[in-house]
Short mmCIF file of all heavy atoms in Angstrom, two decimals:
data_model
loop_
_atom_site.label_atom_id
_atom_site.label_comp_id
_atom_site.label_asym_id
_atom_site.label_seq_id
_atom_site.Cartn_x
_atom_site.Cartn_y
_atom_site.Cartn_z
N ASN A 1 18.89 64.18 -61.30
CA ASN A 1 17.73 63.99 -62.25
C ASN A 1 16.51 64.77 -61.78
O ASN A 1 15.43 64.67 -62.35
CB ASN A 1 17.48 62.54 -62.47
CG ASN A 1 18.40 61.95 -63.43
OD1 ASN A 1 18.26 62.30 -64.74
ND2 ASN A 1 19.32 61.17 -62.90
N ARG A 2 16.73 65.66 -60.63
CA ARG A 2 15.63 66.45 -60.22
C ARG A 2 14.32 65.78 -59.80
O ARG A 2 13.20 66.28 -59.84
CB ARG A 2 15.28 67.66 -61.23
CG ARG A 2 16.48 68.44 -61.52
CD ARG A 2 16.12 69.58 -62.44
NE ARG A 2 17.24 70.46 -62.60
CZ ARG A 2 17.60 70.83 -63.81
NH1 ARG A 2 17.07 70.50 -64.88
NH2 ARG A 2 18.67 71.61 -63.84
N ILE A 3 14.57 64.54 -59.20
CA ILE A 3 13.41 63.83 -58.73
C ILE A 3 13.15 64.32 -57.28
O ILE A 3 12.03 64.46 -56.79
CB ILE A 3 13.67 62.33 -58.81
CG1 ILE A 3 13.91 61.88 -60.27
CG2 ILE A 3 12.65 61.51 -58.10
CD1 ILE A 3 14.39 60.59 -60.46
N ILE A 4 14.28 64.51 -56.55
CA ILE A 4 14.27 65.04 -55.19
C ILE A 4 15.17 66.22 -55.13
O ILE A 4 16.29 66.12 -55.76
CB ILE A 4 14.66 64.02 -54.11
CG1 ILE A 4 13.71 62.89 -54.08
CG2 ILE A 4 14.73 64.62 -52.73
CD1 ILE A 4 13.99 61.74 -53.19
N LYS A 5 14.71 67.45 -54.65
CA LYS A 5 15.53 68.69 -54.75
C LYS A 5 16.91 68.65 -54.21
O LYS A 5 17.82 69.21 -54.79
CB LYS A 5 14.74 69.81 -54.08
CG LYS A 5 13.70 70.40 -54.91
CD LYS A 5 13.17 71.63 -54.23
CE LYS A 5 12.23 72.34 -55.13
NZ LYS A 5 11.73 73.60 -54.59
N ARG A 6 17.08 68.11 -52.95
CA ARG A 6 18.38 68.16 -52.36
C ARG A 6 18.91 66.71 -52.03
O ARG A 6 18.09 65.89 -51.75
CB ARG A 6 18.35 68.95 -51.11
CG ARG A 6 18.02 70.50 -51.35
CD ARG A 6 18.23 71.31 -50.16
NE ARG A 6 17.70 70.78 -48.89
CZ ARG A 6 16.82 71.33 -48.14
NH1 ARG A 6 16.36 72.45 -48.41
NH2 ARG A 6 16.47 70.70 -47.01
N ARG A 7 20.15 66.60 -52.04
CA ARG A 7 20.80 65.30 -51.77
C ARG A 7 20.50 64.84 -50.36
O ARG A 7 20.30 63.63 -50.10
CB ARG A 7 22.31 65.37 -52.05
CG ARG A 7 22.94 64.09 -51.95
CD ARG A 7 24.39 64.21 -52.50
NE ARG A 7 25.13 62.96 -52.31
CZ ARG A 7 26.41 62.87 -52.68
NH1 ARG A 7 27.01 63.85 -53.25
NH2 ARG A 7 27.03 61.77 -52.42
N THR A 8 20.50 65.82 -49.44
CA THR A 8 20.22 65.39 -48.08
C THR A 8 18.76 64.88 -47.91
O THR A 8 18.49 63.90 -47.13
CB THR A 8 20.34 66.59 -47.04
OG1 THR A 8 19.60 67.68 -47.37
CG2 THR A 8 21.85 66.94 -46.97
N LEU A 9 17.85 65.42 -48.60
CA LEU A 9 16.49 64.95 -48.67
C LEU A 9 16.43 63.56 -49.22
O LEU A 9 15.66 62.68 -48.78
CB LEU A 9 15.56 65.92 -49.29
CG LEU A 9 15.30 67.31 -48.68
CD1 LEU A 9 14.46 68.20 -49.54
CD2 LEU A 9 14.68 67.13 -47.34
N ALA A 10 17.14 63.40 -50.29
CA ALA A 10 17.21 62.04 -50.98
C ALA A 10 17.80 60.98 -50.04
O ALA A 10 17.18 59.90 -49.92
CB ALA A 10 17.95 62.14 -52.25
N LYS A 11 18.77 61.35 -49.33
CA LYS A 11 19.45 60.46 -48.42
C LYS A 11 18.41 60.08 -47.33
O LYS A 11 18.34 58.92 -46.97
CB LYS A 11 20.66 61.13 -47.79
CG LYS A 11 21.47 60.22 -46.80
CD LYS A 11 22.73 61.06 -46.34
CE LYS A 11 23.50 60.19 -45.38
NZ LYS A 11 22.97 60.31 -44.00
N ASP A 12 17.77 61.09 -46.71
CA ASP A 12 16.80 60.80 -45.67
C ASP A 12 15.60 59.90 -46.14
O ASP A 12 15.16 58.98 -45.51
CB ASP A 12 16.13 62.04 -45.14
CG ASP A 12 17.15 62.92 -44.37
OD1 ASP A 12 18.18 62.36 -43.91
OD2 ASP A 12 16.89 64.08 -44.08
N ALA A 13 15.10 60.20 -47.45
CA ALA A 13 14.04 59.34 -47.96
C ALA A 13 14.43 57.94 -48.19
O ALA A 13 13.70 56.98 -47.89
CB ALA A 13 13.55 59.90 -49.30
N ILE A 14 15.66 57.76 -48.63
CA ILE A 14 16.24 56.34 -48.86
C ILE A 14 16.38 55.66 -47.53
O ILE A 14 15.98 54.49 -47.42
CB ILE A 14 17.57 56.44 -49.53
CG1 ILE A 14 17.41 57.01 -50.98
CG2 ILE A 14 18.25 55.01 -49.70
CD1 ILE A 14 18.65 57.44 -51.72
N GLU A 15 16.94 56.25 -46.51
CA GLU A 15 17.13 55.67 -45.21
C GLU A 15 15.77 55.38 -44.50
O GLU A 15 15.75 54.39 -43.75
CB GLU A 15 17.95 56.60 -44.25
CG GLU A 15 19.39 56.67 -44.77
CD GLU A 15 20.30 57.75 -43.94
OE1 GLU A 15 19.65 58.57 -43.27
OE2 GLU A 15 21.50 57.64 -44.04
N LYS A 16 14.78 56.14 -44.83
CA LYS A 16 13.50 55.85 -44.27
C LYS A 16 12.64 54.77 -44.90
O LYS A 16 11.60 54.45 -44.57
CB LYS A 16 12.67 57.11 -43.99
CG LYS A 16 13.28 58.10 -43.11
CD LYS A 16 12.49 59.38 -42.91
CE LYS A 16 13.10 60.31 -41.96
NZ LYS A 16 12.57 61.63 -41.92
N GLY A 17 13.20 54.27 -46.08
CA GLY A 17 12.59 53.18 -46.74
C GLY A 17 11.56 53.60 -47.86
O GLY A 17 10.79 52.83 -48.37
N PHE A 18 11.63 54.95 -48.26
CA PHE A 18 10.67 55.46 -49.22
C PHE A 18 11.15 55.16 -50.64
O PHE A 18 10.49 55.53 -51.66
CB PHE A 18 10.38 56.86 -49.09
CG PHE A 18 9.71 57.24 -47.74
CD1 PHE A 18 10.27 58.13 -46.84
CD2 PHE A 18 8.50 56.67 -47.45
CE1 PHE A 18 9.61 58.40 -45.62
CE2 PHE A 18 7.88 56.88 -46.28
CZ PHE A 18 8.44 57.82 -45.33
N VAL A 19 12.42 54.67 -50.79
CA VAL A 19 12.97 54.43 -52.10
C VAL A 19 13.42 52.97 -52.24
O VAL A 19 14.11 52.45 -51.38
CB VAL A 19 14.21 55.37 -52.38
CG1 VAL A 19 14.88 55.10 -53.77
CG2 VAL A 19 13.76 56.79 -52.23
N LEU A 20 12.99 52.28 -53.27
CA LEU A 20 13.36 50.92 -53.59
C LEU A 20 14.15 50.90 -54.81
O LEU A 20 13.79 51.56 -55.78
CB LEU A 20 12.10 50.06 -53.71
CG LEU A 20 11.12 50.00 -52.57
CD1 LEU A 20 9.90 49.09 -52.86
CD2 LEU A 20 11.78 49.45 -51.23
N LYS A 21 15.13 50.01 -54.83
CA LYS A 21 15.94 49.76 -56.06
C LYS A 21 15.78 48.34 -56.43
O LYS A 21 16.04 47.45 -55.70
CB LYS A 21 17.39 50.10 -55.73
CG LYS A 21 18.31 49.74 -56.93
CD LYS A 21 19.80 50.05 -56.57
CE LYS A 21 20.69 49.40 -57.57
NZ LYS A 21 22.07 49.21 -57.12
N ASN A 22 15.17 48.17 -57.66
CA ASN A 22 14.83 46.78 -58.15
C ASN A 22 14.04 45.99 -57.14
O ASN A 22 14.24 44.83 -56.99
CB ASN A 22 16.16 46.10 -58.46
CG ASN A 22 16.91 46.77 -59.60
OD1 ASN A 22 16.34 47.29 -60.57
ND2 ASN A 22 18.22 46.73 -59.56
N GLY A 23 13.03 46.71 -56.55
CA GLY A 23 12.09 46.10 -55.67
C GLY A 23 12.64 45.82 -54.21
O GLY A 23 11.90 45.19 -53.37
N ARG A 24 13.79 46.23 -53.90
CA ARG A 24 14.39 46.03 -52.62
C ARG A 24 14.81 47.40 -51.92
O ARG A 24 15.15 48.32 -52.63
CB ARG A 24 15.65 45.18 -52.74
CG ARG A 24 15.34 43.81 -53.19
CD ARG A 24 16.54 42.93 -53.03
NE ARG A 24 16.09 41.51 -53.26
CZ ARG A 24 16.92 40.61 -53.81
NH1 ARG A 24 18.07 41.00 -54.24
NH2 ARG A 24 16.44 39.44 -54.07
N PRO A 25 14.71 47.38 -50.64
CA PRO A 25 15.24 48.60 -49.88
C PRO A 25 16.62 48.96 -50.36
O PRO A 25 17.49 47.99 -50.45
CB PRO A 25 15.12 48.30 -48.43
CG PRO A 25 14.03 47.15 -48.39
CD PRO A 25 14.32 46.41 -49.62
N ALA A 26 16.96 50.23 -50.54
CA ALA A 26 18.31 50.63 -50.94
C ALA A 26 18.94 51.31 -49.80
O ALA A 26 18.41 51.71 -48.81
CB ALA A 26 18.15 51.46 -52.18
N LYS A 27 20.23 51.64 -50.08
CA LYS A 27 21.09 52.52 -49.24
C LYS A 27 21.50 53.70 -50.07
O LYS A 27 21.56 53.66 -51.27
CB LYS A 27 22.34 51.81 -48.76
CG LYS A 27 21.92 50.69 -47.88
CD LYS A 27 23.20 50.11 -47.28
CE LYS A 27 22.75 48.97 -46.29
NZ LYS A 27 23.90 48.36 -45.62
N PRO A 28 21.70 54.86 -49.37
CA PRO A 28 22.09 56.11 -50.16
C PRO A 28 23.30 55.95 -51.03
O PRO A 28 23.37 56.52 -52.15
CB PRO A 28 22.34 57.14 -49.14
CG PRO A 28 21.57 56.71 -47.91
CD PRO A 28 21.56 55.23 -48.03
N ALA A 29 24.29 55.12 -50.63
CA ALA A 29 25.44 54.92 -51.39
C ALA A 29 25.37 53.79 -52.52
O ALA A 29 26.34 53.45 -53.14
CB ALA A 29 26.62 54.58 -50.49
N SER A 30 24.17 53.20 -52.69
CA SER A 30 23.98 52.16 -53.64
C SER A 30 24.35 52.67 -55.07
O SER A 30 23.96 53.78 -55.35
CB SER A 30 22.49 51.71 -53.68
OG SER A 30 22.14 51.16 -52.45
N GLU A 31 25.12 51.90 -55.78
CA GLU A 31 25.52 52.32 -57.12
C GLU A 31 24.33 52.09 -58.12
O GLU A 31 23.63 51.02 -58.05
CB GLU A 31 26.74 51.53 -57.61
CG GLU A 31 27.99 51.96 -57.05
CD GLU A 31 29.19 51.27 -57.66
OE1 GLU A 31 29.06 50.39 -58.51
OE2 GLU A 31 30.32 51.67 -57.29
N ILE A 32 24.12 53.04 -59.00
CA ILE A 32 23.09 52.97 -59.96
C ILE A 32 23.67 52.49 -61.29
O ILE A 32 24.69 52.99 -61.72
CB ILE A 32 22.43 54.39 -60.19
CG1 ILE A 32 21.81 54.82 -58.87
CG2 ILE A 32 21.47 54.44 -61.30
CD1 ILE A 32 20.67 53.90 -58.44
N ASN A 33 23.06 51.56 -61.98
CA ASN A 33 23.43 51.05 -63.24
C ASN A 33 22.28 51.18 -64.24
O ASN A 33 21.14 51.09 -63.77
CB ASN A 33 23.88 49.60 -63.13
CG ASN A 33 25.00 49.37 -62.07
OD1 ASN A 33 26.00 49.91 -62.35
ND2 ASN A 33 24.76 48.61 -61.14
N PRO A 34 22.59 51.25 -65.50
CA PRO A 34 21.54 51.27 -66.44
C PRO A 34 20.67 50.07 -66.41
O PRO A 34 21.16 48.98 -66.16
CB PRO A 34 22.35 51.34 -67.83
CG PRO A 34 23.58 51.89 -67.50
CD PRO A 34 23.93 51.43 -66.12
N GLY A 35 19.40 50.23 -66.53
CA GLY A 35 18.46 49.13 -66.38
C GLY A 35 17.78 49.01 -65.02
O GLY A 35 16.81 48.24 -64.82
N ASP A 36 18.46 49.59 -64.07
CA ASP A 36 17.85 49.56 -62.66
C ASP A 36 16.46 50.28 -62.58
O ASP A 36 16.22 51.21 -63.35
CB ASP A 36 18.75 50.29 -61.64
CG ASP A 36 19.97 49.47 -61.35
OD1 ASP A 36 19.99 48.29 -61.54
OD2 ASP A 36 20.93 50.07 -60.72
N GLU A 37 15.59 49.71 -61.80
CA GLU A 37 14.24 50.27 -61.63
C GLU A 37 14.20 50.82 -60.25
O GLU A 37 14.38 50.14 -59.23
CB GLU A 37 13.16 49.26 -61.88
CG GLU A 37 11.85 49.81 -62.19
CD GLU A 37 10.88 48.78 -62.72
OE1 GLU A 37 10.85 48.55 -63.96
OE2 GLU A 37 10.17 48.29 -61.91
N ILE A 38 13.85 52.10 -60.10
CA ILE A 38 13.81 52.85 -58.85
C ILE A 38 12.34 53.21 -58.60
O ILE A 38 11.63 53.78 -59.40
CB ILE A 38 14.63 54.17 -58.93
CG1 ILE A 38 16.02 53.88 -59.45
CG2 ILE A 38 14.69 54.82 -57.55
CD1 ILE A 38 16.92 52.90 -58.63
N GLN A 39 11.84 52.89 -57.36
CA GLN A 39 10.49 53.27 -56.97
C GLN A 39 10.63 54.31 -55.80
O GLN A 39 11.30 54.00 -54.86
CB GLN A 39 9.71 52.11 -56.54
CG GLN A 39 8.37 52.44 -56.00
CD GLN A 39 7.52 51.31 -55.66
OE1 GLN A 39 7.53 50.18 -56.29
NE2 GLN A 39 6.86 51.29 -54.41
N ILE A 40 9.97 55.47 -56.01
CA ILE A 40 10.03 56.51 -55.01
C ILE A 40 8.62 56.63 -54.47
O ILE A 40 7.72 56.98 -55.27
CB ILE A 40 10.58 57.81 -55.55
CG1 ILE A 40 11.96 57.59 -56.17
CG2 ILE A 40 10.66 58.86 -54.43
CD1 ILE A 40 11.95 57.51 -57.62
N ASP A 41 8.41 56.50 -53.19
CA ASP A 41 7.19 56.69 -52.54
C ASP A 41 7.01 58.09 -51.92
O ASP A 41 7.55 58.30 -50.83
CB ASP A 41 6.98 55.64 -51.49
CG ASP A 41 5.63 55.49 -50.88
OD1 ASP A 41 4.75 56.29 -51.31
OD2 ASP A 41 5.42 54.64 -49.99
N PHE A 42 6.31 59.00 -52.67
CA PHE A 42 6.08 60.33 -52.17
C PHE A 42 4.77 60.31 -51.43
O PHE A 42 4.05 59.34 -51.42
CB PHE A 42 5.89 61.27 -53.35
CG PHE A 42 7.18 61.55 -54.12
CD1 PHE A 42 7.43 60.86 -55.32
CD2 PHE A 42 8.20 62.38 -53.68
CE1 PHE A 42 8.59 61.07 -56.06
CE2 PHE A 42 9.30 62.67 -54.38
CZ PHE A 42 9.59 61.95 -55.59
N ALA A 43 4.48 61.41 -50.72
CA ALA A 43 3.23 61.43 -49.88
C ALA A 43 2.02 61.27 -50.76
O ALA A 43 1.05 60.72 -50.37
CB ALA A 43 3.19 62.76 -49.10
N ASN A 44 1.98 61.93 -51.96
CA ASN A 44 0.83 61.91 -52.81
C ASN A 44 0.87 61.09 -54.07
O ASN A 44 -0.07 61.06 -54.81
CB ASN A 44 0.50 63.40 -53.18
CG ASN A 44 1.60 64.08 -54.00
OD1 ASN A 44 2.68 63.52 -54.04
ND2 ASN A 44 1.31 65.08 -54.64
#
C-alpha cells in the first residue's frame, strides 16, 4: 500500500514498536484483516 517503501524497512519499524495494530504492538507476520486499525509512528 506504499506506506513504507521496502518490506525490510516495514519489518524493522514493526519490530522497533513504531507500528500498532488495533492499539497493540504487532509483529511483522501478523495477519491483516478488514477493519483492522494500523497506527504508524513516523519521525514527523
Side-chain angles (χ1 to χ4, degrees):
N1 281 286
R2 298 185 176 132
I3 297 166
I4 298 179
K5 276 188 173 184
R6 295 191 319 234
R7 189 170 172 180
T8 55
L9 293 177
K11 181 178 180 277
D12 289 345
I14 296 165
E15 288 174 345
K16 290 178 181 174
F18 296 124
V19 179
L20 303 178
K21 177 183 163 194
N22 297 323
R24 296 190 168 145
K27 294 186 178 181
S30 298
E31 284 187 355
I32 296 299
N33 299 301
D36 285 345
E37 199 167 277
I38 311 296
Q39 177 178 316
I40 304 102
D41 189 359
F42 293 100
N44 61 346

